[in-house]
Each structure stands twice: as C-alpha cells, then as structure tokens.
Amino acid sequence: MVLHVISIIVICILAILFTFLPYFPGGYDHLAVMISGIIQIASFISLLLVPVGVLWLIYERVQRKKVNDGSRKSGSFAIAALVILTLIVIVSSFVAIGGIGSFRGSLALGISLPIIFVYITVKTIIPRIRKMRNPDDLKPSIIPYYMVIIPLAVVISRCALIVPALDYSTNYAIEQSSVVIQDLEEYYSVYGQYPVSLQGLWKDYDTNVMGIEKYYYEPNGKAYNLFFEQFSSDLFAREIVMYNKLDEHIIRSHPSFVFSLTPEEFESYMGYFAEFDLPKPHWKYFLFD
C-alpha cells in the first residue's frame, strides 16, 4: 500500500510539473509545450475516470463480498476505465500530431503514444482484468484510488495555478524585453528612426521562458510593435502579448490584410476576439481563435 501511495504522489507531481513547464524560466522547448498541452487536455478527459473509480471503491468496500460474482463486476469497472483510457490516448495522439494553436505538432510523439498504450494494455492491463474476473480473487483493487486521486489532483492544481503561472511567465518575458527596448531607443536617439527589421539567424534577444519562442518586431508609425506569443491558458486560443510605447497596438491575424484591406477596413476588422491591458505600461495582450 505504501508503494502505491508513493506512486500516486510521484505521478501527480510529475503531471503537475510538466503541465506548468512552459511557464518556467529557461530556453524555448517545443516538446515541453506539447507535453503540457497534452497533459492538460488529457487531465480534463480523465475526469470521466473519477465517477467510475468512486463507484468501484463503493462496490469494493460495501457490496463485493455479498454477491457470488463480485470479482466479475470489478472486472467490468476495469473495462470501463480501459475504454476511457483509450479515448484519452486517441485524443492525446491527435493533439500531439496536429499541435496546439501555432505550436507545431510532433508526429513521432503522436505515433508513439498509442503504440506504448497498446503494449501496456496487452502486457499488463488485460491480464489484470482477467484476474479480476476470477471468482476466487476477492482482494480489493488499488486501481480506483489512482482513478480518483490523480485526475482530481492534476485538474485542481491546473485550475488553481494556471493564471498565476501565466502571469509570472508573461511578466518575466516582459522584463527580459527591456534589453531589446533599450537597444531600440538608443538606435532611435542616434539615427532618428527605428530599424526596419530585427530579423537575423541568431537569437540575440531571448525571452528565457520555456513556452515563449521569441520576440517579434515591426515598425508601426512613429513607434514600433514588440510582441511575443504566450502559451495561453485557453488551449484553443492564441495569445499575443504586445508593447507599443504610444499605445498604438496593431496586430494582424493574416499578413495579407496589409494588401487586401484599406486602413478603415482594417480598423473595423481586428481579427482578435478579446483585448486586455497589462499592469506594465504600454503592454497589452490579444486573444485570437
């Protein structure tokens, strides 16, 4: 029993750690973003395991020894859990292949997930289910505890901490951008204008956040837009965090809008569905679907 308690604690800690990994300081890690997204989506789907696990626990503790075929019913709970796990793996595989928002997917990860799951199912899960269906096997199962505790722990932690984690990483990336802004202002003081571009092969200005790849820069009127894409708490939205010292923030959902829309049309069609001011002066963030 002690080993199972330790296993549950370790699994919860690892799942929560990888959920928030993109918001930690460090170099950009595409795999960390994908694993976090998969865990977040899988954890919400895994809540389906909770009622099954609760019913299984009630059955194990109250009714199992009162019926002749109790072990068979425990096997039925296990089969229901296996069906839900299969759904989780299928959805996770599609997410891994398709990616999340602008964060590209990983074909290798998407293919490996169902392969590993099938192997574990054949080698471990199915033999255990068969053992549960044995009428002579009346030993209570520990599996329902995994089904109840882990999904709840991960989802509750995610819901409670995602906003503080997002705010921390956003503020951290904003602080790191001070070097870029200082260099831009020094350039302006010397040449009387801002550079046309900051494109280059090497990443001289790093966000130092694992889920934020880089800064983007473009001149805008008498100032400029400096922005980055944050790994949003809304997994189905894209979050752009932008600085403009004149508060003339402009963000396009499609580059072709520069050519296909007049300035008046562009003003009336922004492309984003939400806009928010940040505590830092001249910083905003936009949400795109």
Side-chain angles (χ1 to χ4, degrees), residues 17 25 53 58 177 180 190-191 207 212:
L17 175 65
I58 293 174
S177 70
V180 191
V190 173
Y191 299 103
T207 64
I212 302 176

Side-chain angles (χ1 to χ4, degrees), residues 46 49-50 52-53 56 77 81 143-152:
S46 70
L49 292 170
V50 175
V52 178
W56 191 348
F77 287 116
I143 296 175
Y145 291 98
Y146 285 82
M147 296 167 58
V148 174
I149 296 174
I150 294 175
L152 288 177

Side-chain angles (χ1 to χ4, degrees), residues 1-12 128 139 142-143 145-146 149-150:
M1 184 65 179
V2 175
L3 289 178
H4 286 292
V5 171
I6 294 174
S7 296
I8 291 174
I9 293 174
V10 169
I11 292 172
C12 288
R128 287 192 179 184
K139 183 179 178 181
I142 198 69
I143 296 175
Y145 291 98
Y146 285 82
I149 296 174
I150 294 175

Side-chain angles (χ1 to χ4, degrees), residues 28 30-35 37-38 92-111 113:
Y28 176 71
H30 167 252
L31 188 59
V33 174
M34 286 308 307
I35 292 177
I38 290 171
S92 299
S93 180
F94 278 113
V95 171
I97 294 174
I100 301 174
S102 67
F103 299 94
R104 68 184 187 280
S106 171
L107 181 61
L109 181 61
I111 294 176
L113 283 175

Side-chain angles (χ1 to χ4, degrees), residues 81-127:
L82 179 59
V83 171
I84 296 172
L85 286 174
T86 302
L87 173 64
I88 293 172
V89 171
I90 291 173
V91 173
S92 299
S93 180
F94 278 113
V95 171
I97 294 174
I100 301 174
S102 67
F103 299 94
R104 68 184 187 280
S106 171
L107 181 61
L109 181 61
I111 294 176
S112 62
L113 283 175
I115 292 176
I116 294 173
F117 177 70
V118 169
Y119 177 81
I120 294 175
T121 300
V122 172
K123 290 292 184 179
T124 304
I125 298 178
I126 291 179

Side-chain angles (χ1 to χ4, degrees), residues 76-273:
S76 299
F77 287 116
I79 292 173
L82 179 59
V83 171
I84 296 172
L85 286 174
T86 302
L87 173 64
I88 293 172
V89 171
I90 291 173
V91 173
S92 299
S93 180
F94 278 113
V95 171
I97 294 174
I100 301 174
S102 67
F103 299 94
R104 68 184 187 280
S106 171
L107 181 61
L109 181 61
I111 294 176
S112 62
L113 283 175
I115 292 176
I116 294 173
F117 177 70
V118 169
Y119 177 81
I120 294 175
T121 300
V122 172
K123 290 292 184 179
T124 304
I125 298 178
I126 291 179
R128 287 192 179 184
I129 291 176
R130 288 174 177 170
K131 185 178 179 181
M132 289 178 187
R133 296 177 70 85
N134 184 350
D136 298 327
D137 180 26
L138 298 177
K139 183 179 178 181
S141 176
I142 198 69
I143 296 175
Y145 291 98
Y146 285 82
M147 296 167 58
V148 174
I149 296 174
I150 294 175
L152 288 177
V154 175
V155 170
I156 291 173
S157 298
R158 190 268 181 195
C159 293
L161 300 176
I162 192 67
V163 172
L166 184 67
D167 291 343
Y168 169 78
S169 65
T170 298
N171 291 331
Y172 192 84
I174 289 175
E175 290 175 3
Q176 300 302 304
S177 70
S178 61
V179 178
V180 191
I181 295 173
Q182 180 180 345
D183 287 348
L184 287 168
E185 295 303 328
E186 289 179 357
Y187 184 97
Y188 182 84
S189 66
V190 173
Y191 299 103
Q193 62 181 15
Y194 292 105
V196 176
S197 173
L198 291 181
Q199 293 293 337
L201 294 178
W202 299 101
K203 191 188 294 185
D204 295 331
Y205 303 103
D206 201 342
T207 64
N208 291 314
V209 177
M210 296 184 70
I212 302 176
E213 184 176 8
K214 60 182 178 179
Y215 297 110
Y216 299 86
Y217 164 85
E218 65 172 1
N220 179 21
K222 295 181 179 180
Y224 56 88
N225 296 323
L226 183 69
F227 59 98
F228 57 85
E229 182 166 1
Q230 172 67 281
F231 184 47
S232 178
S233 58
D234 182 350
L235 297 176
F236 301 100
R238 297 180 64 178
E239 181 173 326
I240 303 298
V241 183
M242 177 178 289
Y243 170 83
N244 184 293
K245 72 175 188 178
L246 299 181
D247 294 322
E248 297 174 346
H249 304 75
I250 294 179
I251 180 68
R252 306 175 183 89
S253 56
H254 295 278
S256 62
F257 286 173
V258 176
F259 310 105
S260 59
L261 299 179
T262 65
E264 293 76 16
E265 290 174 332
F266 183 75
E267 285 292 332
S268 62
Y269 182 77
M270 295 298 186
Y272 50 83
F273 65 84

